[in-house]
């Protein structure tokens, strides 16, 4: 079913496709579908107690699961015969369908396990067994690899240029496989990036593997089924290594003139591979990376994520990855020692893959003879070239997100990222090339050096993204809002790139923790990010600083106890809380208590750090964070107008974290901790309002305490820091820090501040996410809609009106009056933080909100604007099944359709007029049925699973 969801390009096609699935299972009770292990379909894993999940479908309404049974066997045959030799859970009385930990026999490295599940419904009738699913184990003990880290050091080459970009090393080994082959597996990783070939064919669809981690602590590996690549007889294995995150350039190190600008983990990329071949007679043959492999440099002369690739096809190595090849000129590889403590684990996330290909929209010749190709969409990726020419012809590709008014490529905002690819032709027949160890954030590519005018087949845009499965989609009858939504999705696609990066184009591309937590809930509605965040939370916790604070980005390479990219990078209020907030969001969206437990002590350590810093005061007074650079941290980053005090923000985040910890403590049954955090939360709320709030509920800051101290971001003594800001109220409301009376006052203050600001927002990264939710919850839905639909500066609509296809970093990344005024510093056109409005779009505009982790229970409470939007339709594939919600306003008539998955419950709010007149599934509801269910202008009904349509008169 998931495949159907991924490929469904429009909502209607999707729902049509679903119908036959339902029919097949008609009258068979409840049916488990979409079986997954550790959030993935048929994965390779190395978890000893993998978590299993399924969803349920039924042709009956109001269905629930009362029991389930899981069987796991070592073969399909045994499972088909109901002979589970590995685990039989027996009939378990439980309504859970996910986060169910395997409890059978000890799982063994490299084994494949098959499983199925059946469920009993509300009438205790047993349903049919599910289809068979599987998982495979990786190598549970590092010692099993028996493979060495091999390398070929080319670091001394290409040194004395403005960028030190040595050539990529090539590796190969040939081997005769003597007998007919039954199966083959490749276990592969690198310190760097790799591509692996067998008999000339690239293995797998993954790019940028094995991903960025703290390579000193852990390296991930991938496992591929290579059965069909192997032949009885001569075989050749080849690999290309690139520098990647391990030894390439990272972040803004070059820009800020750090002592080290590249090779933060090591200067030589290394390969480790293990191939296991099983012959048809049962014998096994193992080939590992060792000193029998040969290496050479080749046509890939430069290869770097930020700076691009140079490929000299004239230096082509011919059939280097084919069996018949003369390796005489190739060198012997060197074996490199491993680090004892470095873990080797199966990649838990979704690897980067090609999402789609884009054809040029237009190709324009420039006066200097270069051509600008417009792909019509800002994205992360590369260009595939298909060219013809003479040997030695050199083609250069540069990339930009925007054009200058005169049509020139705008590259200033790339800062020190060279972002240039070069291809030198071999000559003769048509040549195709695509860089694979670099990527760029761009809409426009500039091509030069081609001896003829490029036609549309010459360049193809290749879109890369972490392959997180599509989980949701929304559409309205408002064109601007639809484009905004598309822009949000494209921005997520561009930046969920192994890690959640801030931007894909300039010399940065770091996983900033602040950006990640403000946007995470928004992301959840677009794609299934459970596996992606399972991976990144490892990075976040690996990067936790010695004092307990979480870092401002993760992974954060370190040197001598300091950040290596820029020594002053450490922690900041509003960023470091990601360690708690993202763990909480994972729990809230997917019911993931396992991850909560896993990082429980790390999170406690972080709260302890805050407690110590607040010196028992339960708050942070002005100037509490002066030890960081910038002083006070980043505050409400890139806000406009009055600046919110960073310490007031830090206090609110402290309270929010205590709230989330209390809730998570309850979920993982840490009773003592729960009491402790509940108490802490109360004390912080009190300290916060005692200190930062006046008797009318207005937030205040003693700005004179900051005086004219330097080192605060954007702080100007004459303008001061403030408490009475949109950001402060929005957060206080969103984070649940206020009493009902205080909340009401905050709602009013927030509304007034927006109105006084000509009805416009003024929030930065931290203020924008809670802004619309806070307006909605305090009764200002119309104002929230006004902000959403505004096209005047500053607003989301302003970006759309100016041609944006992704979300900008700044409200004023571009204005007609001032152009790209921020380019010299930082000015990304593909930055998801301001896209955090997606959360409100799903939770308030569509109106679906989870009230029990994983949408086991949820509300459907669409908020209807007075004008601008008359219909909305959306779906969300929750871990508990498919939710569908659409509404339509037609004059006086309001129609709401909802699909509630089996085993879940929804509380539906249907707006009504003065005389409630409601049809439920075309049946007029009687007075008796309406009784006690009418609240102010709304009919509230609780429903079990099924599809419902409500129509009501709203006037
Ligand atoms: C910049 C980026 C990033 C932000 C940091 C504080 O590098 O805008 O998104 O989190 O600053």
């Amino acid at each position: 079913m998931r495949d159907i969801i991924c490929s469904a390009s429009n909502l209607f096609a999707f729902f049509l496709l679903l119908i036959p699935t339902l029919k097949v299972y008609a009258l068979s009770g409840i049916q488990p579908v979409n079986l997954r292990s550790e959030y993935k379909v048929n994965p390779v894993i190395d978890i000893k107690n993998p978590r299993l999940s399924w969803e349920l479908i039924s042709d009956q309404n109001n269905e629930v699961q009362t029991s389930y049974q899981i069987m796991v066997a070592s073969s399909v045959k045994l499972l088909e015969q109901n002979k589970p030799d590995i685990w039989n859970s027996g009939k378990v009385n439980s309504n859970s369908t996910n986060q169910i930990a395997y409890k059978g026999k000890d799982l063994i490295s490299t084994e494949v396990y098959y499983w199925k599940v059946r469920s009993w419904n509300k009438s205790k009738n047993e349903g049919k067994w599910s289809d068979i699913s599987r998982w495979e184990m990786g190598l549970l003990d590092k010692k099993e690899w028996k493979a060495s880290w091999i390398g070929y050091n080319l670091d001394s080459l290409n040194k004395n240029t403005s960028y030190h970009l040595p050539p990529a090393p090539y590796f190969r080994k040939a081997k005769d496989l003597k007998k007919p082959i039954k199966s083959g597996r490749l276990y592969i990783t690198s310190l760097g990036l790799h591509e692996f070939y067998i008999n000339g064919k690239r293995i797998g669809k993954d790019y940028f593997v094995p991903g960025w981690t703290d390579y000193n602590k852990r390296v991930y590996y991938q496992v591929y089924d290579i059965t069909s690549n192997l032949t009885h007889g001569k075989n050749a294995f080849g690999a290309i290594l690139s520098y990647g995150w391990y030894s390439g350039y990272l972040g803004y190190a070059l820009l800020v003139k750090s002592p080290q600008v590249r090779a933060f983990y090591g200067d030589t990329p290394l390969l480790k591979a293990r191939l296991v071949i099983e012959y048809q007679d049962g014998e096994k043959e193992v080939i590992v990376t060792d000193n029998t492999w040969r290496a050479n440099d080749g046509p890939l002369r430069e290869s770097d994520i930020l700076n691009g690739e140079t490929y000299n096809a004239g230096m082509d190595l011919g059939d280097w990855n084919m069996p018949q090849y003369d390796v005489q000129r190739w060198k012997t590889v060197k074996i490199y020692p491993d680090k004892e403590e470095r873990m080797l684990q199966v990649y838990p996330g979704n690897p980067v893959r090609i999402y789609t290909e884009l054809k040029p929209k237009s190709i324009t010749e420039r006066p200097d003879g270069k051509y600008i190709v417009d792909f019509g969409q800002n994205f992360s990726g590369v260009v595939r070239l298909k060219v013809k020419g003479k040997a030695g012809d050199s083609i250069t590709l540069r990339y930009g997100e925007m054009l200058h008014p005169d049509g020139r490529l705008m590259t200033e905002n790339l800062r020190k990222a060279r972002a240039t690819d070069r291809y030198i032709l071999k000559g003769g027949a048509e040549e195709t090339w695509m860089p694979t160890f670099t990527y760029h954030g761009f809409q426009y590519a500039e091509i030069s050096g081609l001896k003829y005018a490029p036609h549309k087949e010459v360049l193809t845009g290749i879109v890369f993204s972490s392959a997180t499965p599509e989980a949701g989609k929304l559409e309205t009858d408002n064109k601007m809002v639809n484009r905004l939504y598309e822009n949000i999705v494209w921005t997520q696609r561009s930046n969920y790139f192994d890690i959640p990066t801030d931007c894909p184009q300039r010399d940065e591309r770091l996983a900033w923790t602040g950006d990640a937590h403000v946007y995470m809930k928004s992301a959840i509605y677009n794609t299934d990010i459970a596996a992606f965040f399972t991976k990144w939370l490892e990075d976040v916790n690996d990067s936790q600083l010695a004092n307990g604070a979480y870092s401002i980005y993760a992974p954060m390479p370190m040197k001598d106890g300091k950040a290596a990219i820029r020594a002053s990078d450490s922690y900041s209020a509003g960023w470091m809380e990601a360690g708690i907030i993202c763990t909480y969001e994972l729990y809230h969206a997917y019911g993931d208590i396992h991850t909560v437990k896993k990082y429980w002590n790390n999170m406690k350590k972080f709260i302890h750090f805050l407690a110590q810093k607040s010196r028992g005061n339960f708050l942070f007074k002005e100037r509490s964070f002066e030890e960081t650079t910038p002083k006070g941290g980043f505050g409400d980053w890139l806000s406009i107008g009055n600046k919110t005090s960073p310490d007031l923000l830090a206090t609110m985040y402290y309270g929010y974290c205590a709230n989330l910890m209390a809730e998570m403590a309850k979920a993982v049954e840490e009773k003592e901790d729960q009491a402790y955090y509940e108490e802490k939360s109360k004390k912080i709320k009190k300290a916060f309002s005692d200190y930062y709030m006046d008797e009318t509920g207005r937030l205040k800051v003693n700005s004179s305490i900051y005086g004219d101290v330097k080192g605060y971001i954007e702080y100007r003594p004459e303008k001061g820091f403030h408490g009475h800001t949109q950001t402060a109220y929005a957060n206080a409301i969103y984070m649940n820090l206020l009493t009902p009376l205080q909340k009401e006052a905050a709602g009013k203050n927030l509304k007034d501040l927006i109105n006084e600001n000509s009805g416009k927002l003024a929030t930065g990264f931290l203020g924008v996410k809670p802004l619309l939710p806070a307006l909605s919850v305090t009764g200002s839905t119309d104002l929230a809609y006004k902000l959403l639909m505004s096209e005047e500066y500053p607003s989301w609509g302003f970006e759309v009106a100016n041609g944006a296809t992704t979300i900008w970093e700044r409200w004023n990344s571009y204005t007609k009056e001032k152009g790209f005024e921020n380019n010299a510093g930082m000015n990304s056109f593909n930055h998801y933080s301001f896209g955090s409005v997606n959360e409100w779009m799903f939770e308030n505009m569509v109106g679906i909100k989870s009230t029990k982790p994983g949408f086991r229970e949820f509300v459907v409470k669409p908020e209807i604007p007075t004008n601008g939007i008359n219909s909305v339709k959306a779906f969300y594939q929750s871990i508990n099944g498919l939710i569908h919600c659409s509404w339509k306003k037609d004059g006086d008539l309001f129609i709401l359709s909802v699909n509630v998955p089996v085993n879940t419950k929804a509380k539906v709010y249907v707006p009504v007029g003065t005389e409630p007149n409601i049809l439920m599934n075309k049946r007029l509801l009687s007075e008796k049925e309406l009784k006690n269910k009418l609240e102010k202008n709304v009919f509230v009904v609780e429903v079990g699973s099924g599809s419902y349509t409500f129509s009501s008169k709203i006037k």
Side-chain angles (χ1 to χ4, degrees):
M1 192 159 87
R2 194 146 286 262
D3 284 342
I4 297 174
I5 293 164
C6 295
S7 60
S9 58
N10 89 34
L11 231 58
F12 293 120
F14 169 71
F15 289 115
L16 285 178
L17 281 172
L18 206 69
I19 292 166
T21 327
L22 291 174
K23 275 208 180 127
V24 171
Y25 297 111
L27 302 175
S28 56
I30 51 175
Q31 179 66 39
V33 293
N34 194 19
L35 273 63
R36 293 185 292 158
S37 325
E38 290 293 317
Y39 298 127
K40 295 183 183 177
V41 179
N42 299 335
V44 179
I45 52 178
D46 57 359
I47 312 279
K48 292 183 179 157
N49 296 92
R51 290 162 298 158
L52 307 178
S53 74
W54 57 93
E55 289 159 31
L56 292 164
I57 54 172
S58 168
D59 58 352
Q60 303 291 314
N61 277 8
N62 271 315
E63 267 300 5
V64 291
Q65 172 188 283
T66 50
S67 313
Y68 68 80
Q69 181 178 17
I70 297 169
M71 283 186 180
V72 183
S74 57
S75 74
V76 172
K77 205 165 159 202
L78 283 172
L79 200 56
E80 278 171 351
Q81 295 167 351
N82 287 340
K83 288 185 186 152
D85 56 334
I86 306 296
W87 186 40
N88 183 353
S89 74
K91 186 175 171 186
V92 182
N93 292 334
S94 162
N95 56 15
S96 297
T97 58
N98 51 66
Q99 306 295 341
I100 294 166
Y102 164 84
K103 288 201 193 84
K105 286 189 187 159
D106 282 353
L107 299 172
I108 298 167
S109 286
T110 75
E111 291 292 304
V112 180
Y113 297 95
Y114 300 89
W115 70 287
K116 62 181 181 180
V117 58
R118 64 175 165 177
S119 299
W120 281 257
N121 71 354
K122 64 175 176 207
S123 322
K124 313 274 163 76
N125 292 333
E126 71 185 37
K128 277 200 205 151
W129 285 104
S130 68
D131 289 346
I132 291 175
S133 197
R134 53 175 271 174
W135 78 81
E136 177 175 333
M137 298 305 284
L139 301 164
L140 292 172
D141 185 345
K142 190 162 116 168
K143 292 198 196 85
E144 293 175 80
W145 274 77
K146 305 256 169 23
S148 302
W149 287 112
I150 60 170
Y152 181 53
N153 188 345
L154 298 167
D155 198 52
S156 59
L157 301 178
N158 300 352
K159 229 175 180 160
N160 300 319
T161 44
S162 37
Y163 295 91
H164 174 198
L165 302 171
Y170 287 60
F171 299 83
R172 84 162 250 137
K173 180 181 172 73
K175 179 88 188 170
D176 232 342
L177 298 176
K178 300 233 158 54
K179 292 184 269 188
I181 290 145
K182 185 178 166 209
S183 70
R185 283 287 181 278
L186 167 69
Y187 302 82
I188 181 163
T189 186
S190 59
L191 292 165
L193 303 173
H194 62 262
E195 278 186 341
F196 198 85
Y197 296 84
I198 299 180
N199 301 328
K201 207 168 164 251
R202 188 184 191 274
I203 300 301
K205 294 179 183 160
D206 306 333
Y207 292 84
F208 297 86
V209 278
W212 188 358
T213 48
D214 180 339
Y215 300 107
N216 297 316
K217 294 184 181 157
R218 80 180 74 234
V219 186
Y220 292 126
Y221 62 92
Q222 268 76 24
V223 183
Y224 300 100
D225 182 347
I226 51 168
T227 313
S228 63
N229 301 93
L230 299 167
T231 46
H232 175 189
K234 286 195 166 58
N235 288 268
F237 310 111
I240 311 174
L241 282 189
S242 179
Y243 296 83
W245 294 289
Y246 179 78
S247 41
Y249 283 81
L250 287 183
Y252 37 62
L254 190 62
L255 179 82
V256 301
K257 302 195 169 64
S258 282
Q260 194 176 351
V261 295
R262 62 181 288 278
F264 290 97
Y265 301 94
D267 61 15
T268 312
L270 304 175
L271 175 73
K272 191 193 268 285
R274 174 182 172 86
L275 294 96
V276 182
I277 295 122
E278 193 181 345
Y279 292 116
Q280 279 174 14
D281 63 7
E283 198 198 325
K284 277 194 180 159
E285 165 127 31
V286 177
I287 300 161
V288 294
T289 42
D290 57 17
N291 60 9
T292 64
W293 289 61
R294 299 296 206 93
N296 205 352
D297 61 334
L300 191 50
R301 305 313 297 165
E302 296 180 330
S303 182
D304 185 78
I305 294 181
L306 295 175
N307 299 309
E309 294 202 336
T310 296
Y311 191 93
N312 185 349
M315 295 176 78
D316 192 359
L317 293 169
D319 288 336
W320 68 279
N321 50 18
M322 294 297 281
Q324 312 291 358
Y325 183 73
D326 182 4
V327 283
Q328 269 198 21
R329 293 215 320 270
W330 287 50
K331 323 286 172 319
T332 308
V333 298
K334 203 179 141 194
I335 306 274
Y336 287 73
D338 193 16
K339 279 198 161 80
E340 186 76 27
E341 64 283 10
R342 182 191 285 140
M343 292 179 276
L344 266 181
Q345 297 173 325
V346 173
Y347 187 74
N350 309 103
V352 172
R353 292 197 169 159
I354 294 176
Y355 174 76
T356 190
E357 298 191 354
L358 300 174
K359 289 205 171 4
K361 282 255 153 32
S362 69
I363 301 176
T364 316
E365 188 175 4
R366 301 279 310 140
D368 57 6
K370 296 174 179 170
Y371 290 84
I372 300 262
V373 181
D374 178 3
F375 288 98
Q377 174 63 53
N378 198 348
F379 67 100
S380 287
V382 290
V383 160
R384 189 179 59 222
L385 276 181
K386 215 186 241 185
V387 290
K388 249 182 127 164
K390 287 209 301 286
D393 284 357
S394 174
I395 293 168
T396 302
L397 289 163
R398 294 165 71 228
Y399 305 87
E401 298 182 285
M402 301 288 267
L403 299 180
H404 281 292
D406 63 2
R408 263 178 312 128
L409 192 71
M410 196 278 273
T411 56
E412 291 83 341
N413 71 337
L414 306 180
R415 295 194 311 213
K416 295 281 184 201
R418 189 188 69 172
T420 303
D421 295 322
R422 270 194 204 102
Y423 181 74
I424 299 152
L425 276 76
K426 199 174 177 181
E430 191 170 67
E431 300 172 42
T432 305
W433 177 65
M434 171 185 139
T436 52
F437 299 123
T438 188
Y439 75 98
H440 315 289
F442 67 105
Q443 173 172 339
Y444 302 93
E446 179 201 79
I447 179 165
S448 57
L450 195 64
K451 299 282 160 50
Y452 53 94
H455 50 85
K456 288 196 178 173
E457 304 305 313
V458 170
L459 299 100
T460 305
I462 305 293
V463 180
F464 284 135
S465 175
S466 279
T468 56
E470 182 175 272
K473 212 172 204 159
L474 69 79
E475 200 183 320
T476 72
D477 62 339
N478 182 309
K479 237 174 119 189
M480 190 286 283
V481 172
N482 289 348
R483 185 64 236 191
L484 167 63
Y485 176 67
E486 286 298 311
N487 292 2
I488 290 170
V489 174
W490 270 105
T491 310
Q492 179 173 331
R493 190 170 288 144
S494 309
N495 283 295
Y496 277 21
F497 204 104
D498 182 64
I499 50 166
T501 62
D502 61 332
C503 56
Q505 72 298 91
R506 67 173 178 242
D507 55 351
E508 192 148 346
R509 312 187 200 182
L510 301 173
W512 286 90
T513 45
D515 310 36
H517 80 72
V518 300
Y519 182 71
M520 184 170 170
K521 201 168 191 188
S522 287
I524 282 163
Y525 287 110
N526 297 334
T527 65
D528 175 358
I529 58 166
F532 182 82
F533 267 85
T534 300
K535 187 266 174 190
W536 188 61
L537 279 169
E538 293 276 18
D539 301 332
V540 171
N541 284 281
D542 280 350
S543 298
Q544 188 171 21
L545 303 171
N547 63 5
Y550 288 102
S551 52
I552 51 175
Y553 51 82
M556 182 183 258
M558 303 294 282
K559 198 172 185 200
D560 305 328
K562 291 213 159 89
I565 293 177
R566 176 169 61 189
S568 62
D569 288 347
S570 60
Y571 57 90
S572 161
W575 270 248
M576 58 187 172
E577 295 83 355
I580 287 183
I581 299 172
C582 295
T583 310
Y584 174 81
E585 295 296 0
L586 200 69
Y587 156 67
H588 190 255
Y590 308 106
D592 192 337
I593 50 171
H594 168 77
T595 301
V596 175
K597 284 183 188 155
K598 184 169 170 189
Y599 300 124
W600 192 243
N601 287 333
N602 297 48
M603 293 192 284
K604 281 172 75 170
K605 191 173 167 200
F606 170 57
I607 297 275
H608 185 67
F609 159 77
L610 294 177
Q612 272 190 328
K613 253 199 93 58
S614 78
R615 298 204 193 94
N617 284 330
F618 300 100
L619 87 153
F620 299 106
K621 294 185 180 168
E622 294 87 346
R623 297 180 68 168
S624 286
F625 285 89
E626 298 222 315
E627 72 281 15
T628 65
T629 310
K631 281 185 178 168
F634 301 111
D636 186 23
W637 190 240
L638 306 184
S639 65
I640 37 191
N642 280 348
K643 298 290 158 201
T644 310
S645 148
D647 302 291
L648 178 138
L649 278 167
T651 303
M652 292 197 289
Y653 271 103
Y654 186 18
Y656 187 47
C657 285
N659 285 348
L660 301 184
M661 285 298 277
E663 199 181 323
M664 288 191 280
K666 190 171 173 205
V668 298
E669 294 169 25
E670 292 280 356
K671 294 235 159 58
E672 246 172 67
D673 286 343
Q674 187 190 338
Y676 175 77
Y677 290 114
E678 278 169 1
E679 186 60 22
K680 195 178 236 350
S681 155
K682 271 190 211 145
K683 287 186 173 152
I684 298 170
K685 284 178 192 172
K686 181 162 185 313
F688 166 65
S689 64
D690 285 353
Y691 190 79
Y692 279 121
M693 195 183 282
D694 72 12
E695 23 337 304
T696 69
R698 190 182 161 108
L699 291 171
K700 60 181 172 95
V701 167
N702 188 346
S703 202
S704 66
I705 295 176
Y706 294 99
D708 57 3
V709 282
K710 293 201 172 63
Y712 279 86
I713 275 278
E714 294 183 316
Y715 174 74
R716 273 165 292 166
E718 71 284 7
K719 297 209 163 168
F721 278 133
H722 301 262
H724 185 60
T725 64
Q726 295 181 17
T727 289
Y729 293 114
N731 276 294
I733 295 167
Y734 184 95
M735 293 175 176
N736 237 335
L737 304 175
L738 306 174
T739 64
L741 267 182
Q742 290 170 344
K743 190 168 163 186
E744 204 185 310
K748 186 170 179 312
N749 279 321
L750 176 59
K751 187 173 162 185
D752 290 349
L753 276 169
I754 295 169
N755 288 334
E756 284 158 23
N757 192 37
S758 320
K760 290 174 182 176
L761 55 74
T763 44
F765 281 24
L766 302 185
V768 75
K769 160 192 157 118
L771 184 64
L772 270 51
L775 284 170
S776 277
V777 79
T778 53
S780 297
T781 291
D782 256 342
L783 190 52
Y785 270 109
K786 187 174 165 194
L787 295 178
L788 178 79
M789 291 187 281
S790 167
E791 293 187 18
E792 281 172 30
Y793 171 79
S795 69
W796 295 281
F798 175 77
E799 301 180 6
V800 174
N802 279 285
T805 59
T806 38
I807 301 292
W808 298 350
E809 179 172 21
R810 302 170 180 265
W811 297 116
N812 62 347
S813 282
Y814 169 81
T815 58
K816 285 213 171 72
E817 299 72 36
K818 297 188 177 164
F820 309 113
E821 64 175 317
N822 300 297
N823 274 355
M826 25 167 268
N827 197 21
S828 148
F829 288 85
N830 201 345
H831 225 83
Y832 56 64
S833 292
F834 287 160
S836 61
V837 66
N838 198 49
E839 175 181 333
W840 182 89
M841 288 162 76
F842 273 90
E843 298 203 338
N844 299 75
M845 182 176 78
V846 175
I848 51 168
K849 203 183 281 188
S850 176
T851 47
K852 204 166 183 188
F855 278 81
R856 270 304 294 279
E857 288 177 21
F858 58 102
V859 295
V860 178
K861 195 180 181 183
E863 294 174 18
I864 320 300
T866 313
N867 48 46
I869 296 175
N870 287 309
S871 78
V872 171
K873 54 189 173 202
F875 72 85
Y876 171 59
Q877 181 75 30
S878 79
I879 195 157
N880 281 298
L882 177 71
I883 296 168
H884 165 228
C885 176
S886 63
W887 59 258
K888 198 172 164 180
K889 209 167 67 165
D890 195 354
D892 286 0
L893 200 64
F894 182 78
I895 301 164
L896 173 65
S897 298
V898 189
N899 179 62
V900 181
V902 172
N903 209 34
T904 70
K905 266 199 269 184
K907 199 169 181 183
V908 186
Y909 292 70
V910 187
V912 290
T914 37
E915 271 174 49
N917 206 343
I918 302 162
L919 294 176
M920 182 166 166
N921 290 347
K922 296 190 181 154
R923 192 175 59 78
L924 185 68
L925 294 182
S926 67
E927 239 171 73
K928 203 168 139 213
E929 284 170 301
L930 292 177
K931 205 166 157 217
N932 299 330
K933 289 189 177 149
L934 287 170
E935 290 174 14
K936 215 174 92 199
N937 296 334
V938 57
F939 164 68
V940 188
V941 61
E942 277 203 40
V943 292
S945 67
S947 297
Y948 306 90
T949 299
F950 302 88
S951 349
S952 74
K953 275 246 159 93
I954 45 173
K955 284 210 179 112

